[in-house]
Amino acid sequence: MTSPAQQAKEAFGTHLRDIRKDAGLSGRRLAELTRWHYTKISRVEHGKQGLSDADIRAWCSACDADEQVPDLIAQARAVETMYREWRKQARSGLRRLQEAIEPLYARTTLFRVHEHWSIPGLLQTSTYSTESMAYWARLLDLPDDREAATAARLMRQRILRNGDHRFAFLLAEQALRSRIGSVETMLEQLDRVIAAMALPNVSIGIIPASAGMGAHTQTAFWIFDDELVKVETLTAALDITRAEEIAIYATVFAEMRHAALLGDDARELILQVRDEMLQQSATS
């Protein structure tokens, strides 16, 4: 599956290809005008190679599109910086990652959260969080500070009840079923999700596994107001700040919400999953 970072590179390349085509230039003709090897044009347009600021200016000059230089340079720099390695960020442990995000949470008024595999941190119990932290520490070969990281995460959950914050969670049904820890851990976690549904500033929707196309995405994402989208992969975090891209995520979130179960219907599905876990535990 293509990573979000690679998708951003490919989108940048597509933008440049559109500029070339609008100018009526073939790839070889553009290469002649810029004095580059023709294969460089193909690599850039397919997201295989980046461009320096000078290269962007040369591309736009050859295409008579100088007015697009500032936006393209800003986009290229965003692509370069958005792909941050987790190991570099978390070399001192997962607690540091939890604490580093605190200012962003504090200033955000509207959280739109979509998770497709696990329960989001703001809704996690202590046991569920500790199990999750242990998994990531093992996977990424990080210092095992699961207890300290969980403590930082639970401290941040205060914003659910303090301050002027609103939360809209969309959880795929699989997030309820993904086994993290023991059955007891999962039952406690599902109870926590149900309890959070009673908070006046919290909306929790569950997207049934049977929902069709448009109701699911290949990745989880968090929208912070209309200023930032965070997408996390196995090894890196992607920060999206361009308004037009944020708008796409907001549109997708709204479409998924139409397919989600809300209120009593969502609660009924959670209870159904809970009952199934109890039955499986009793027969195992």
Side-chain angles (χ1 to χ4, degrees):
M1 182 170 60
T2 304
S3 72
Q6 182 58 35
Q7 291 173 14
K9 292 178 182 178
E10 292 173 0
F12 180 65
T14 298
H15 191 175
L16 290 169
R17 183 176 66 243
D18 290 342
I19 291 173
R20 172 180 62 77
K21 288 186 174 181
D22 288 345
L25 299 177
S26 66
R28 286 186 178 272
R29 180 54 182 158
L30 178 57
E32 292 172 0
L33 292 172
T34 55
R35 298 183 180 179
W36 299 339
H37 193 276
Y38 71 90
T39 58
K40 179 174 180 177
I41 306 299
S42 178
R43 291 198 303 271
V44 169
E45 292 184 351
H46 287 87
K48 305 299 184 182
Q49 179 177 340
L51 290 180
S52 66
D53 291 358
D55 287 342
I56 291 172
R57 293 189 181 95
W59 188 296
C60 289
S61 178
C63 297
D64 195 24
D66 292 326
E67 73 283 355
Q68 298 204 44
V69 167
D71 181 64
L72 286 169
I73 288 177
Q75 185 180 355
R77 291 177 180 175
V79 170
E80 290 175 1
T81 59
M82 65 174 53
Y83 200 59
R84 304 188 308 270
E85 292 185 4
W86 277 87
R87 290 183 182 179
K88 291 180 180 179
Q89 281 194 315
R91 56 184 175 269
S92 62
L94 290 166
R95 178 181 61 82
R96 179 170 171 264
L97 285 175
Q98 296 299 312
E99 294 175 343
I101 205 170
E102 182 71 29
L104 172 61
Y105 278 59
R107 68 175 180 266
T108 299
T109 57
L110 174 61
F111 296 75
R112 281 166 288 182
V113 179
H114 168 56
E115 290 286 354
H116 65 324
W117 181 80
S118 63
I119 304 299
L122 284 175
L123 300 177
Q124 289 181 8
T125 65
S126 176
T127 307
Y128 185 100
S129 175
T130 301
E131 292 283 351
S132 178
M133 294 292 186
Y135 167 78
W136 287 111
R138 288 193 303 270
L139 178 67
L140 301 176
D141 193 23
L142 300 175
D144 188 355
D145 61 347
R146 67 183 80 175
E147 300 293 343
T150 288
R153 169 172 283 172
L154 296 184
M155 184 71 68
R156 194 168 61 245
Q157 290 180 0
R158 292 179 302 176
I159 66 170
L160 289 170
R161 294 175 172 81
N162 299 331
D164 185 22
H165 306 285
R166 292 178 295 128
F167 304 86
F169 296 96
L170 287 180
L171 310 181
E173 182 178 340
Q174 182 59 46
L176 307 176
R177 298 181 179 277
S178 298
R179 183 66 62 85
I180 296 179
S182 65
V183 172
E184 290 73 19
T185 295
M186 291 302 302
L187 295 176
E188 179 188 32
Q189 180 58 69
L190 294 178
D191 288 343
R192 173 66 61 85
V193 174
I194 292 173
M197 296 175 73
L199 296 175
N201 58 333
V202 173
S203 169
I204 299 178
I206 308 298
I207 303 172
S210 59
M213 293 292 292
H216 299 279
T217 63
Q218 293 182 336
T219 186
F221 60 88
W222 291 53
I223 308 175
F224 298 84
D225 291 325
D226 290 314
E227 299 179 1
L228 172 69
V229 174
K230 279 189 170 290
V231 180
E232 295 184 351
T233 70
L234 285 176
T235 58
L238 176 67
D239 285 358
I240 298 171
T241 57
R242 297 185 70 211
E244 55 267 40
E245 293 185 74
I246 294 173
I248 292 173
Y249 279 90
T251 297
V252 169
F253 189 89
E255 291 178 352
M256 290 193 300
R257 194 172 190 276
H258 285 303
L261 301 178
L262 301 169
D264 291 339
D265 291 334
R267 185 177 294 102
E268 182 177 344
L269 179 54
I270 297 172
L271 290 173
Q272 176 185 327
V273 173
R274 192 183 189 284
D275 289 343
E276 290 175 7
M277 287 187 179
L278 278 172
Q279 292 173 6
Q280 291 171 3
S281 176
T283 58
S284 61

